């Protein structure tokens, strides 16, 4: 198993590995771990995750970290990751070639360069797509249009406000299309190659479940949308969650925070968290703080300091008071907490939490659904705007703070305090219908992974496919 060193990807991949091993004790999985030297905080969390993962049949092999990357002249986290993957290619080749009874390689959606290694060794590759099926459909459809009809994305969006896409039930506004698809440099340099490579895999494992994305999953059988070459089998096996977090109290700060939640009334706390890679500039932080305070609700807010350089990793604040409005911490001390990190699933599982202001990353989306906690959407980057559109407009299990906020836009307008306050009030309204709908999807998500459920069945098919190829 070789996935990129991003916590959201690696944690879910390890959970997938655990599920596979639990279903078939003849399997064993070697997880190849690489570390990002430009992200020491992320590296520490990955090390903690591995130290806490002790499962029979799951083995870890740490890949070498380059001693000096100064000549790479790269500080942007995405570009650095791609360079690091290429650096690791010969190391992966050497380890895989010496592995007895190697039956295949499992990669994530940005590690497709490793398919070359698998092909050289004559073993299949399985792709773990850590985002949703609808986003996968968008990428494959755009790739088909470009390669088979010579229609670029810039041509598609010219002069229109919405696009009809096969993996979405409703027309998709241009404003929520992900930058990695609409930004010509991103698309042509990286994403188009990834998407072409997805078709080289022997199976695509998607962290979703049929009842959540039935339209997207059924669309993959439509050749007219996805091109002349057939797609690999799609295995919707989710929701795959880092469930070990539910019982995590890994530090004194975390333990104190969970004890504070224990003292709060049921469904009374709004949880604000924007993922490990998102942060806001000071003016936006001020607006969020004013919106929280005016809402009058109890709150738990995860606040990260912007990276020192564009494209870097957010950091913990050394002094939160300097980032927040004067007196905010004192005035809200009895009803709220501002912290730098939380075990998110543990928080969402807590009975005190009644709403989630989220960036709509796919892992966070699945966690909120699983826990039955409705979201107020505030996407930041990647495909999160598309996820927010799904949640609000297609599924009706979220309210909107924003659908198209994007930190990669030039001159992105601030979300004002009034909008933040409105979103919090809506999501915490006990009579809001989205609360009922998200509870229904929560039950469906739990049934999907139980014996007889759609995801349980898909995982069984995946394991059967792997075993049949290795014995052929």
């Amino acid at each position: 198993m070789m996935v990129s060193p991003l916590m959201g990807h690696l944690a879910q991949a390890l959970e997938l590995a655990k599920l596979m091993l639990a279903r078939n004790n003849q399997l064993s999985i070697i997880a190849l771990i690489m570390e990002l030297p430009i992200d020491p905080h992320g590296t520490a969390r990955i090390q903690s995750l591995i130290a806490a993962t002790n499962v029979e049949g799951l083995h870890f092999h740490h890949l070498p970290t380059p001693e000096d990357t100064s000549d790479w002249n790269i500080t942007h986290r995405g570009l650095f990751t791609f360079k690091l993957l290429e650096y690791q290619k010969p190391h992966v080749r050497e380890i895989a070639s010496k592995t007895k009874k190697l039956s295949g390689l499992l990669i994530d959606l940005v590690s497709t360069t490793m398919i070359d290694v698998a092909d050289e060794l004559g073993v299949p590759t399985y792709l773990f797509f850590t985002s949703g099926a609808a986003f996968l459909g968008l990428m494959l459809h755009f790739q088909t249009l470009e390669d088979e009809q010579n229609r670029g994305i810039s041509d598609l969006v010219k002069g229109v406000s919405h696009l009809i896409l096969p993996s979405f039930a409703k027309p998709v506004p241009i404003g929520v299309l992900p930058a990695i698809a609409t930004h010509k440099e991103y698309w042509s340099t990286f994403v188009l190659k990834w998407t072409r490579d997805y078709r080289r895999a022997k199976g695509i494992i998607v962290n979703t479940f049929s009842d959540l994305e039935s339209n997207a999953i059924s669309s993959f059988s439509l050749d007219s949308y996805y091109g002349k070459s057939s797609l690999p089998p799609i295995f919707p096996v989710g929701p795959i969650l880092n469930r070990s977090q539910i019982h995590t109290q890994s530090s004194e700060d975390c333990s104190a925070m969970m004890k504070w939640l224990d003292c709060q009334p049921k469904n009374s706390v709004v949880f604000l968290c924007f993922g490990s890679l998102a942060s806001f500039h000071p003016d936006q932080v001020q607006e969020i703080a004013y919106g929280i305070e005016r809402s009058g609700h109890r709150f738990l807010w995860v606040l990260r300091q912007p990276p020192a350089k564009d494209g870097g990793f957010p950091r913990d604040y050394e002094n939160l008071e300097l980032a927040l409005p004067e007196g905010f911490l004192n005035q809200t001390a009895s009803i709220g907490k501002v912290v730098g990190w939380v075990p998110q699933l543990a928080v969402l599982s807590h009975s005190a939490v009644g709403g989630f202001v989220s960036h709509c990353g796919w892992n966070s989306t699945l966690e909120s659904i699983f826990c039955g906690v409705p979201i107020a959407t505030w996407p930041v980057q990647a495909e999160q705007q598309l996820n927010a559109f799904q949640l609000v407009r297609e599924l009706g299990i979220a309210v909107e703070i924003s659908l198209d906020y994007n930190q990669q836009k030039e001159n992105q307008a601030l979300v004002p305090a009034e909008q933040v306050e409105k979103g919090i009030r809506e999501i915490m309204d006990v009579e809001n219908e989205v609360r009922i709908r998200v509870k229904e999807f929560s039950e469906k998500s739990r049934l999907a992974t139980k014996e007889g459920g759609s995801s349980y069945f898909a995982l069984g098919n995946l394991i059967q496919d792997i075993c049949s190829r290795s014995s052929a």
Side-chain angles (χ1 to χ4, degrees):
M1 185 178 79
M2 176 70 196
V3 301
S4 53
L6 299 173
M7 191 66 172
H9 290 215
L10 182 59
Q12 307 318 314
L14 292 180
E15 289 300 317
L16 172 62
K18 292 177 190 176
L19 290 171
M20 292 169 67
L21 293 168
R23 291 283 293 274
N24 188 321
N25 59 15
Q26 293 183 318
L27 288 174
S28 68
I29 296 174
I30 301 171
L32 305 180
I33 305 298
M34 64 177 183
E35 297 173 349
L36 273 177
I38 61 171
D39 181 22
H41 292 292
T43 296
R45 284 178 184 149
I46 286 173
Q47 290 171 343
S48 296
L49 175 67
I50 292 168
T53 304
N54 183 16
V55 177
E56 187 175 353
L58 178 58
H59 312 280
F60 294 99
H61 187 109
H62 290 264
L63 295 169
T65 301
E67 292 182 5
D68 183 9
T69 59
S70 57
D71 61 331
W72 292 10
N73 198 28
I74 303 172
T75 56
H76 188 283
R77 61 180 179 247
L79 297 175
F80 194 98
T81 301
F82 305 144
K83 180 75 172 179
L84 186 61
L85 283 163
E86 290 298 326
Y87 169 86
Q88 296 294 4
K89 214 168 176 179
H91 302 293
V92 174
R93 184 182 295 112
E94 181 182 4
I95 296 164
S97 64
K98 293 178 180 177
T99 302
K100 295 179 180 179
K101 298 184 179 179
L102 179 68
S103 59
L105 193 64
L106 192 152
I107 62 172
D108 68 349
L109 69 172
V110 300
S111 303
T112 60
T113 189
M114 297 300 167
I115 298 177
D116 296 338
V117 175
D119 287 351
E120 288 172 23
L121 298 173
V123 297
T125 304
Y126 293 87
L127 173 81
F128 181 34
F129 196 81
T130 51
S131 296
F135 177 48
L136 173 62
L138 175 145
M139 294 177 72
L140 290 166
H141 181 55
F142 282 174
Q143 177 258 322
T144 299
L145 293 176
E146 176 127 349
D147 287 348
E148 296 189 9
Q149 299 180 27
N150 199 28
R151 296 176 66 195
I153 298 167
S154 56
D155 298 326
L156 295 176
V157 301
K158 195 176 294 180
V160 299
S161 60
H162 293 72
L163 287 182
I164 304 297
L165 299 174
S167 53
F168 289 85
K170 294 185 177 180
V172 178
I174 299 300
V176 305
L177 295 177
I180 61 170
T182 57
H183 190 288
K184 191 171 183 178
E185 186 178 355
Y186 293 158
W187 175 254
S188 60
T189 307
F190 302 110
V191 186
L192 181 58
K193 181 185 183 304
W194 292 343
T195 312
R196 287 169 178 158
D197 283 344
Y198 295 169
R199 295 177 183 268
R200 297 168 61 193
K202 298 306 180 187
I204 301 178
I205 309 157
V206 188
N207 192 5
T208 191
F209 58 100
S210 293
D211 281 331
L212 183 67
E213 294 194 280
S214 57
N215 185 80
I217 292 167
S218 62
S219 78
F220 292 125
S221 61
L222 304 173
D223 293 343
S224 58
Y225 289 113
Y226 295 116
K228 298 170 186 174
S229 60
S230 60
L231 295 177
I234 308 292
F235 300 99
V237 300
I240 295 172
L241 311 171
N242 188 7
R243 300 190 192 198
S244 60
Q245 273 196 10
I246 294 177
H247 306 293
T248 294
Q249 292 189 5
S250 56
S251 68
E252 288 185 18
D253 288 345
C254 181
S255 179
M257 179 200 67
M258 297 303 289
K259 287 178 181 176
W260 178 80
L261 281 175
D262 290 341
C263 298
Q264 310 309 311
K266 186 176 180 180
N267 293 331
S268 67
V269 175
V270 61
F271 174 43
L272 301 95
C273 185
F274 300 90
S276 58
L277 299 180
S279 58
F280 294 104
H281 291 297
D283 289 349
Q284 186 62 79
V285 171
Q286 300 274 315
E287 293 297 316
I288 297 172
Y290 292 136
I292 291 171
E293 192 170 7
R294 291 174 190 173
S295 78
H297 283 283
R298 292 175 170 84
F299 67 91
L300 175 62
W301 180 13
V302 180
L303 181 59
R304 306 282 288 150
Q305 184 173 358
K309 296 180 181 179
D310 287 345
F313 289 86
R315 304 159 288 160
D316 288 345
Y317 277 101
E318 293 181 7
N319 188 344
L320 281 168
E321 289 187 2
L322 297 179
L324 296 163
E326 186 176 353
F328 175 83
L329 289 175
N330 286 335
Q331 291 160 16
T332 61
S334 63
I335 63 166
K337 280 190 173 294
V338 184
V339 297
W341 180 85
V342 298
Q344 183 168 282
L345 190 56
V347 170
L348 288 170
S349 301
H350 201 285
S351 61
V353 175
F356 184 20
V357 178
S358 172
H359 65 309
C360 305
W362 193 248
N363 289 336
S364 295
T365 296
L366 291 177
E367 288 176 358
S368 74
I369 291 170
F370 182 80
C371 297
V373 178
I375 283 179
T377 63
W378 189 335
V380 177
Q381 57 193 352
E383 91 292 5
Q384 294 159 12
Q385 295 80 17
L386 207 62
N387 297 341
F389 167 76
Q390 269 186 283
L391 290 168
V392 175
R393 302 285 169 81
E394 292 218 334
L395 298 171
I397 56 175
V399 304
E400 175 185 344
I401 290 179
S402 174
L403 293 186
D404 60 0
Y405 184 95
N406 192 333
Q407 286 187 342
Q408 292 170 300
K409 282 184 192 173
E410 287 188 27
N411 305 315
Q412 170 63 57
L414 290 177
V415 175
E418 295 78 14
Q419 206 167 321
V420 179
E421 177 189 357
K422 180 175 179 289
I424 292 174
R425 288 185 182 277
E426 283 186 29
I427 205 63
M428 297 301 286
D429 180 358
V430 294
E431 296 183 0
N432 196 319
E433 288 185 7
V434 301
R435 305 186 76 84
I436 299 171
R437 286 186 58 79
V438 78
K439 295 292 185 187
E440 292 171 353
F441 274 97
S442 174
E443 182 61 23
K444 290 175 181 178
S445 75
R446 292 166 186 265
L447 290 174
T449 57
K450 291 181 178 178
E451 188 168 356
S454 61
S455 296
Y456 185 93
F457 182 73
L459 182 62
N461 285 343
L462 168 66
I463 294 170
Q464 184 178 13
D465 190 88
I466 293 170
C467 293
S468 64
R469 291 180 190 276
S470 63
S471 61

